[in-house]
Amino acid sequence: MLDIILTIFGICIYIPFLVQLFHTHWEKDKLLHQLTVALVSLELTALFHVPSVMYIATVLLITVFAVYVIVKRPTFRWTPILIISILYGLWFAISLFWSAIPLRGARFLLDYSLPLIAFAFLSSIWSISKEDIQQCFRTFGYAGLVFIGLSLLSWGCTCAELNILPWEWKIFGKSYINGENAYRWIFRFNGGIWGYTHPSYNLLPLFAATCGVMKLCKKHVIQPYISWLLWGGATMLTLLSQSRMGIVYAAIILMAGIVYWLPSKRLQLSAACVFLLIGVALLWGTWDKWPQYDTNHNRQKLYDVTWRYIQNKPLQGAGAGALNPIEICHTTGELYWPHVGYIDPQREVTDWQWKVHMLPHNQFMADAAHAGIIAAILSLLMYACVAVRCVRIHSYWGGVMMLIFTLFSFLEPPLYIGKGLYLFCCMICLLYTEKTIS
């Protein structure tokens, strides 16, 4: 019953978006443009909620934008991210020729490659003003505050339900609370403790919102304390959900925020050098602790077996739609897969449920296993394009978010997971516009 009540409360995430709609001064000649801005805000907001709303927002956004293109006929411009995203999708389409499950491969292209191309195409046509960008980030940031509030509400209700005092909640390691992972209780407003509770993909948009709002605060668009509320909330949820890498992301944002708020370039450079030295010293001093900190043997097994698979098929990979434990185990000679168990050597590659226990926890290894090193190189080039764009337009907080997203990609395959993919798409959409948005 409590899960149902909290799930209903989860709809409150959309309050900032509704406020944006209410305060927008709709103009007939700008209606399509204003709708597109509103739907980008909805897309960003939906990153905090269940994935189904995110997909619906994407369909609405692409539909409205298609009408915008037909009616307004804006100028088209080729961008590096559009070219590379097309090549990325095209290479996966070519890999259908050697895929053992081409029908699933076609679905793979629709799920992952098509959104990248669509958002890159949108960013090659759409012109957006600084005020529009600020509106999107403002809504995103306030939705992040609601997300923090709902998470803390879920935590408080859980403590009351399980008779746990708040200071008794375990925040280190990967411990269980009443037989379930701690993060399931924190994010249970997204459909209950068995709803969408993945800690990394729930927290990643919150870090992105913190980055965007930091810029707005320095520009005096919103009050500075909002950014630090977001940062503090993200750090607290990181501890409560026991997300270990979230601590690193929170530290990066803290140091970047301090540097960003310093009044002169000289002070910023000096502070950045000091933080870099401190970071290197801490890493050097604690290097022997990190192997003990990451004791996930199943994750290491996925890395090892997938790497051996890539060495066996470095150019082709499995082909779109055909990467699964049976394909990998048949190729490497393995008989065991984490969380699955024994893999019969006689099983057919097609005899595997779609999207179950398939991916290594690394974006570039996942690309190489799917379609060879060419796919991995193209995904690296996409990341490089966004990073270079941040440098060219002096988007400091875009650069910080891209740094976090890149580090995250060595631990998860975000372009194969809805929330990671659409966050990256939104970054493309907001960064690749005609006007400088530093």
Side-chain angles (χ1 to χ4, degrees):
M1 183 63 182
L2 183 56
D3 277 349
I4 295 173
I5 294 172
L6 290 172
T7 299
I8 293 171
F9 271 106
I11 301 172
C12 292
I13 286 174
Y14 300 100
I15 290 175
F17 170 70
L18 295 175
V19 171
Q20 176 185 339
L21 291 182
F22 181 76
H23 282 107
T24 299
H25 299 290
W26 301 97
E27 301 175 36
K28 186 176 180 180
D29 58 334
K30 296 181 179 178
L31 181 61
L32 289 172
H33 175 81
Q34 290 175 315
L35 277 174
T36 306
V37 173
L39 288 170
V40 170
S41 293
L42 177 61
E43 189 73 53
L44 289 167
T45 301
L47 293 171
F48 292 118
H49 203 212
V50 291
S52 56
V53 183
M54 183 178 64
Y55 300 134
I56 293 168
T58 301
V59 173
L60 290 174
L61 175 59
I62 298 303
T63 302
V64 169
F65 187 69
V67 176
Y68 173 82
V69 171
I70 294 169
V71 174
K72 298 294 184 180
R73 297 188 180 182
T75 304
F76 173 79
R77 61 192 184 278
W78 285 100
T79 61
I81 193 68
L82 176 60
I83 295 169
I84 294 172
S85 62
I86 290 173
L87 291 174
Y88 183 73
L90 183 61
W91 179 251
F92 273 101
I94 292 171
S95 74
L96 292 174
F97 287 107
W98 58 81
S99 170
I101 319 175
L103 288 178
R104 286 188 187 174
R107 180 179 171 183
F108 177 92
L109 292 173
L110 290 173
D111 285 351
Y112 304 119
S113 299
L114 190 59
L116 280 169
I117 295 171
F119 275 84
F121 183 75
L122 185 156
S123 67
S124 296
I125 295 178
W126 191 34
S127 298
I128 189 170
S129 68
K130 182 171 64 175
E131 289 73 22
D132 292 332
I133 292 280
Q134 292 173 350
Q135 182 60 70
C136 290
F137 277 136
R138 185 189 291 114
T139 302
F140 193 27
Y142 284 124
L145 288 177
V146 177
F147 175 84
I148 292 169
L150 289 169
S151 300
L152 294 178
L153 175 64
S154 296
W155 174 58
C157 290
T158 298
C159 288
E161 182 183 16
L162 303 180
N163 295 315
I164 298 173
L165 294 173
W167 51 86
E168 293 176 343
W169 191 273
K170 298 176 183 178
I171 60 175
F172 294 108
K174 286 290 184 181
S175 55
Y176 290 86
I177 308 294
N178 199 39
E180 299 293 345
N181 287 300
Y183 59 81
R184 292 194 181 278
W185 300 106
I186 301 299
F187 303 116
R188 60 194 295 195
F189 62 89
N190 272 347
I193 61 171
W194 290 101
Y196 195 92
T197 57
H198 195 295
S200 297
Y201 289 101
N202 276 326
L203 288 172
L204 189 64
L206 189 56
F207 289 119
T210 306
C211 289
V213 169
M214 283 281 187
K215 181 184 75 171
L216 299 188
C217 291
K218 188 168 182 180
K219 301 290 185 182
H220 305 292
V221 177
I222 59 176
Q223 293 297 319
Y225 69 85
I226 298 295
S227 61
W228 295 111
L229 276 178
L230 280 168
W231 179 84
T235 304
M236 181 178 290
L237 294 185
T238 291
L239 295 173
L240 292 176
S241 62
Q242 301 174 357
S243 176
R244 293 173 289 187
M245 280 308 297
I247 298 171
V248 177
Y249 306 147
I252 289 172
I253 291 176
L254 175 62
M255 291 184 289
I258 293 171
V259 171
Y260 188 59
W261 279 89
L262 290 174
S264 69
K265 295 291 184 183
R266 180 176 294 181
L267 282 174
Q268 288 178 332
L269 183 60
S270 300
C273 291
V274 169
F275 283 135
L276 182 62
L277 290 173
I278 291 173
V280 171
L282 285 174
L283 189 62
W284 181 269
T286 60
W287 186 257
D288 59 332
K289 306 290 184 184
W290 287 98
Q292 302 169 21
Y293 189 65
D294 185 11
T295 55
N296 193 324
H297 301 295
N298 285 333
R299 178 174 292 203
Q300 188 59 47
K301 177 75 173 178
L302 284 171
Y303 277 120
D304 294 341
V305 177
T306 305
W307 177 240
R308 284 167 47 204
Y309 179 81
I310 293 168
Q311 290 175 311
N312 275 277
K313 294 186 175 181
L315 296 178
Q316 290 184 313
L323 182 67
N324 61 46
I326 299 176
E327 161 68 16
I328 293 177
C329 288
H330 284 4
T331 303
T332 60
E334 285 284 329
L335 298 175
Y336 169 82
W337 193 261
H339 300 298
V340 175
Y342 175 71
I343 300 292
D344 190 337
Q346 304 303 317
R347 287 184 69 180
E348 295 292 332
V349 174
T350 54
D351 181 25
W352 193 261
Q353 191 175 348
W354 176 242
K355 296 184 180 179
V356 177
H357 303 294
M358 291 170 59
L359 299 171
H361 290 266
N362 182 300
Q363 175 63 44
F364 312 110
M365 287 183 68
D367 279 320
H370 268 101
I373 13 179
I374 292 177
I377 291 170
L378 288 171
S379 62
L380 278 168
L381 287 175
M382 279 197 297
Y383 280 52
C385 279
V386 178
V388 169
R389 178 67 178 173
C390 292
V391 173
R392 289 188 64 184
I393 66 174
H394 309 293
S395 179
Y396 183 82
W397 283 103
V400 174
M401 187 54 222
M402 196 57 212
L403 172 61
I404 291 173
F405 196 88
T406 303
L407 291 175
F408 185 72
S409 296
F410 285 100
L411 302 167
E412 288 284 338
L415 299 186
Y416 293 101
I417 307 295
K419 289 199 176 189
L421 173 66
Y422 285 96
L423 175 60
F424 188 74
C425 287
C426 288
M427 289 170 64
I428 291 172
C429 179
L430 294 175
L431 287 168
Y432 274 89
T433 57
E434 288 184 348
K435 300 176 183 179
T436 301
I437 57 172
S438 61

